[in-house]
């Protein structure tokens, strides 16, 4: 997750050894980091729990003759996905299909996090700003042990990835050549994520993780007061499902204070209400809905009271 001024980062992997067929999730420097008392393992599991609970709440929202707790799920769907319920009746086919597609994204997130298939860097300390060609051009890169290959960042410039204090995590688009059954090298896209624990500070997030059915402090709470480090992981995993589709979206809605990349509840809500086709590919809509879904089912989140407060 980043500010609009940051360029999307692409990585190139140069293979030195092609003697393996599977790329497992490899975690680097993750054992040494905690965020507000939560370990990386706990945050990873909590992100999966958020996605699982989001699916449960979406299925509740698709029902008819909704009970009290199911109505809060329907309201959450209204705020983040722009669905419209007629109480006493089920959603129309178009809105049901839309929520089914959202469920499919969450299922893909859970599958991606449950299988071997990517790289997780829990800080950027392994990346060095080094010369990589005969013209003395430099880039941030890391050469990994074992099946040795180099991961290189392009478009980053001389500043390290986590050097921007607004950056909490980054999904990296990567390709690596692997041999097929005939021994021919075939490019394969992989998943790589960098997290920036140093930038997950009080005021920006509430906790490393929040438990299932967590309680809120207010009667109609602001979802942005309950952001978590595990939510950062979920946001980055939405990108990872399909980096060409799920990109941070810039809202063109009014009032003007809602303009810019749709991070946070207010701007995600505005997308769902005014640019509904865009909200389905905006990663923070998935993050915010999942964070809201994890709360006690009686929690009554509401639309922003003052649309001009978003910045």
């Amino acid at each position: 997750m980043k500010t609009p001024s940051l360029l999307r980062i692409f990585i190139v992997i140069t293979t030195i050894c092609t003697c393996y067929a599977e790329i497992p999730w490899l975690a680097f420097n993750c054992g040494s980091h905690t965020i507000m008392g939560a370990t990386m393992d706990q945050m990873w599991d909590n992100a999966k729990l958020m996605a699982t609970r989001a699916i449960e709440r979406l299925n509740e929202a698709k029902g008819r003759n909704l009970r009290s707790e199911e109505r809060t799920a329907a309201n959450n769907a209204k705020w983040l996905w722009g669905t419209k319920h007629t109480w006493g009746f089920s959603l129309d086919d178009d809105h049901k299909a839309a929520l089914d597609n959202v469920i499919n994204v969450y299922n893909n997130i859970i599958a991606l996090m449950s299988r071997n298939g990517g790289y997780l860097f829990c800080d950027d300390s392994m990346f060095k700003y080094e010369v990589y060609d005969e013209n003395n051009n430099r880039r941030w890169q890391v050469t990994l042990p074992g099946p040795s290959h180099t991961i290189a960042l392009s478009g980053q410039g001389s500043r390290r990835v986590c050097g921007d204090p607004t950056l909490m995590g980054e999904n990296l688009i990567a390709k690596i050549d692997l041999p097929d059954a005939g021994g021919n090298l075939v490019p394969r896209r992989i998943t790589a994520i960098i997290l920036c624990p140093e930038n997950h500070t009080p005021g920006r997030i509430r906790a490393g993780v929040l438990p299932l059915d967590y309680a809120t402090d207010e009667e109609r709470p602001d979802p942005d007061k309950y952001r978590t480090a595990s939510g950062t992981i979920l946001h980055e995993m939405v990108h990872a499902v399909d980096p060409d589709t799920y990109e941070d979206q810039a809202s063109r809605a009014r009032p003007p204070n809602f303009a810019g990349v749709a991070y946070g509840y207010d701007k995600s809500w505005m997308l769902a209400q005014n640019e509904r086709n865009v909200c389905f590919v905006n990663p923070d809509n998935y993050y915010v809905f999942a964070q809201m879904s994890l709360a006690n089912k009686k929690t009554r989140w509401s639309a922003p009271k003052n649309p001009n407060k978003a910045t």
Side-chain angles (χ1 to χ4, degrees), residues 170-302:
E170 183 63 80
N171 178 265
L172 310 174
I173 298 174
K175 289 185 178 179
I176 187 169
D177 290 335
L178 290 177
D180 60 16
N184 301 308
L185 293 180
V186 178
R188 173 181 168 186
R189 176 174 281 181
I190 65 168
T191 301
I193 291 173
I194 296 179
L195 298 178
C196 300
E198 67 199 74
N199 297 336
H200 285 76
T201 55
R204 299 201 67 207
I205 62 169
R206 187 180 185 93
V209 301
L210 284 173
L212 183 66
D213 292 322
Y214 69 86
T216 56
D217 299 332
E218 309 90 4
E219 182 179 352
R220 290 183 176 272
D222 178 356
D224 284 341
K225 293 182 179 179
Y226 297 88
R227 296 179 77 87
T228 61
S230 55
T232 299
I233 294 175
L234 189 141
H235 174 109
E236 300 306 330
M237 294 307 298
V238 178
H239 285 298
V241 167
D242 184 349
D244 295 327
T245 298
Y246 301 100
E247 298 185 304
D248 299 319
Q249 300 296 313
S251 174
R252 296 172 295 279
R254 293 294 183 266
N257 282 349
F258 273 90
V261 174
Y263 293 137
Y265 174 59
D266 290 347
K267 292 182 180 180
S268 298
W269 172 84
M270 183 60 81
L271 280 185
Q273 308 312 307
N274 294 279
E275 302 169 80
R276 186 164 173 261
N277 60 317
V278 178
C279 79
F280 295 113
V281 295
N282 186 56
D284 236 38
N285 281 70
Y286 291 88
Y287 168 16
V288 176
F289 182 84
Q291 191 71 70
M292 292 163 66
S293 298
L294 194 65
N296 185 290
K297 289 187 175 183
K298 294 181 180 180
T299 304
R300 298 181 66 190
W301 311 94
S302 61

